[in-house]
Amino acid sequence: MRPFSYVSAPDVATALRAVADDPGAKFLGGGTNLVDLMRAGIEQPDTVVDITSLPLAEIGERPDGGVRIGALVRNSRLAAHPLIRARYPVLSQAVLAGASAQLRNMATVGGNLLQRTRCPYFYDRTAACNKREPGSGCGAIGGFNRGHAVLGVSGACIAAHPSDMCVALAALDAVVEVESVRGVRRVPMASFHRPPGETPHVETDLSPDELVTAVELPPSPTAANSRYRKVRDRASYAFALVSVAAALEVRDGTVTGVGLALGGVATTPWRARRAEHALLGAPATEESFRRAAEAELAPATGLPGNAFKIEMARRAVTATLRRLLTEGSPA
Amino acid sequence: MVEVRLRVNGADASLDLPPQVSLLDALRERLGLTGTKKGCDQGACGACTVLADGERINSCLALAVQYAGREITTIEGIAGDGPGHPLQAAFVRNDGLQCGYCTSGQICSAIGMLAEHGAGMPSAVTEHLCADGAELTDDEIRERMSGNLCRCGAYNGIVDAIREFAAAEAER
């Protein structure tokens, strides 16, 4: 690993100042992604600003009935928290579906939002990758792309976003709170991650000196009836081929509320707006679910290695909604 | 160089380390605690699992400097100076290992896992998220231990050993 200097920030202001004054500096949270990327030589910060001592590890109820999650809350604590389990079960399930218990004990909510793709060409420094080295090409498009995206792709990049947690946050309309020396701002999940376009190395709406400080979950009666379904090559400890985060509210046989997002199939945590639009006000039937899934996947573009994901995603959406309708939430 | 005061298996150690040194390398190369193994060195295999304040972590992805002041427990601390830990004995009785390279990580992980389960933490296979204390079925053990790979494939014995140990603990 390339040597770096290390600073442990005692408070948020010190952390923000340290990164604002040093373009080669990066924040370090749980380290489960950044340390790995540094060891692989993909990230090479001059200075590492350790933020794990900052007071950002609380989960609390907001006056409006929503929940505020500090950016340094560990994934395992988030999944186990009584408020999350009861009111946002899809989020508990999504977090528990990701990584391993050891990693969840280390990884933070803020770091999960910022984790980088697991595309093998991104990790292989001898391969072409526009995300790692802009302008160098994409090894995945004509290569091994079984794990890659079919939605939100560009001619420059088809890397899938790896997070499970973010898929649930997208379905729940979460808002990310970020802070820099210029102040605090709030970014909706829908605009936090950026599709690759011609600049796949730009992955989020964050400036390099901005720190994720919290995630806010709005109050939602729909969220209590929610679940996460993950389809993968082995039963545990694998990234998603397809995942679905769904929240569903049905009254008198009609869909009155829905939040839907997809993982494993897109370059960003994919909010399924087309499907939501098709579902709202529709009868809560298998046929409506299937039609909504088809609407969402209509713009998908598959390659020989990953086209199977399109039908897999349609089926996963339909099955997740069906299960919510018949069995309710896992809470 | 940074001065890192580690507390490992109940003893304090002060080390001068470059900040990029992992907790795993500090334990093995600086403190001579070679029971903790380096497998993949990228958080994928679990061989390096240790406990930090009782919680299991991958020591290969942990910078030693980030764990200053935390109570680190390795397999040496779990085994102690006597006949070993009863979970180690259960692994031996149930053929929970072949080559043994993953075993230190498996044992540390299982101890952390049982503490998580005892505290009511759900897993990805827990049917009802809000129910108190999911039963520790074989499916639960397998899911909760999925961060520890065994390339010899001793999984059945590992599950047997953990189930047997957990049942004996519950009776105590």
Side-chain angles (χ1 to χ4, degrees), chain A residues 254-268:
Chain A
T254 300
V255 176
T256 51
V258 61
L260 199 64
L262 303 179
V265 290
T267 52
T268 57

Side-chain angles (χ1 to χ4, degrees), chain A residues 18-321:
Chain A
V19 168
D21 291 344
D22 181 354
K26 280 197 94 78
F27 296 118
L28 175 68
T32 56
N33 196 200
L34 183 57
V35 169
D36 189 32
L37 291 168
M38 285 162 64
R39 192 169 286 140
I42 295 163
E43 296 276 10
Q44 301 195 350
D46 300 317
T47 305
V48 163
V49 179
D50 184 351
I51 56 168
T52 51
S53 299
L54 304 184
L56 301 173
E58 300 293 319
I59 296 177
E61 204 166 359
R62 302 196 315 163
D64 67 359
V67 171
R68 187 176 193 277
I69 304 161
L72 290 172
V73 170
R74 307 287 170 165
N75 284 191
S76 48
R77 296 280 160 85
L78 175 64
H81 197 279
L83 279 176
I84 305 300
R85 284 200 247 180
R87 293 192 201 166
Y88 307 94
V90 64
L91 181 54
S92 274
Q93 281 195 318
V95 171
L96 292 170
S100 67
Q102 289 95 316
L103 292 167
R104 293 192 296 272
N105 280 339
M106 303 173 76
T108 65
V109 166
N112 195 321
L113 279 163
L114 297 175
Q115 70 172 306
R116 307 197 67 189
T117 185
R118 306 301 164 134
C119 172
Y121 299 94
F122 173 71
Y123 263 81
D124 177 0
R125 288 172 71 197
T126 66
C129 173
N130 288 319
K131 188 184 278 297
R132 178 170 32 76
E133 201 181 319
S136 65
C138 173
I141 287 173
F144 182 72
N145 46 43
R146 175 175 166 76
H148 290 72
V150 293
L151 287 165
V153 299
S154 75
C157 182
I158 58 169
H161 195 273
S163 173
D164 292 292
M165 182 195 82
C166 290
V167 182
L169 292 183
L172 293 171
D173 263 330
V175 175
V176 184
E177 182 189 275
V178 304
E179 190 170 344
S180 70
V181 291
R182 299 179 298 286
V184 177
R185 66 188 184 103
R186 288 178 168 72
V187 186
M189 269 304 280
S191 48
F192 186 83
H193 295 95
R194 288 194 186 173
E198 293 307 306
T199 55
H201 58 290
V202 181
E203 294 170 352
T204 70
D205 187 52
L206 287 188
S207 302
D209 66 340
E210 283 182 312
L211 176 68
V212 175
T213 48
V215 171
E216 295 172 352
L217 300 177
S220 162
T222 310
N225 189 45
S226 64
R227 52 170 72 238
Y228 190 70
R229 184 185 179 104
K230 182 171 180 179
V231 184
R232 43 186 159 174
D233 278 330
R234 58 180 186 226
S236 184
Y237 200 14
F239 289 98
L241 291 169
V242 172
S243 72
V244 179
L248 183 70
E249 186 183 55
V250 174
R251 281 191 202 146
D252 301 327
T254 300
V255 176
T256 51
V258 61
L260 199 64
L262 303 179
V265 290
T267 52
T268 57
W270 190 262
R271 179 69 182 267
R273 299 251 184 226
R274 288 165 179 249
E276 289 179 3
H277 184 73
L279 283 166
L280 258 186
T285 60
E286 179 91 8
E287 193 192 332
S288 300
F289 300 160
R290 177 74 194 181
R291 202 176 301 153
E294 279 167 4
E296 194 58 49
L297 275 300
T301 52
L303 293 163
N306 68 1
F308 74 97
K309 286 185 172 189
I310 298 173
E311 177 58 16
M312 185 180 267
R314 290 189 197 111
R315 293 185 194 187
V317 167
T318 308
T320 309
L321 292 169

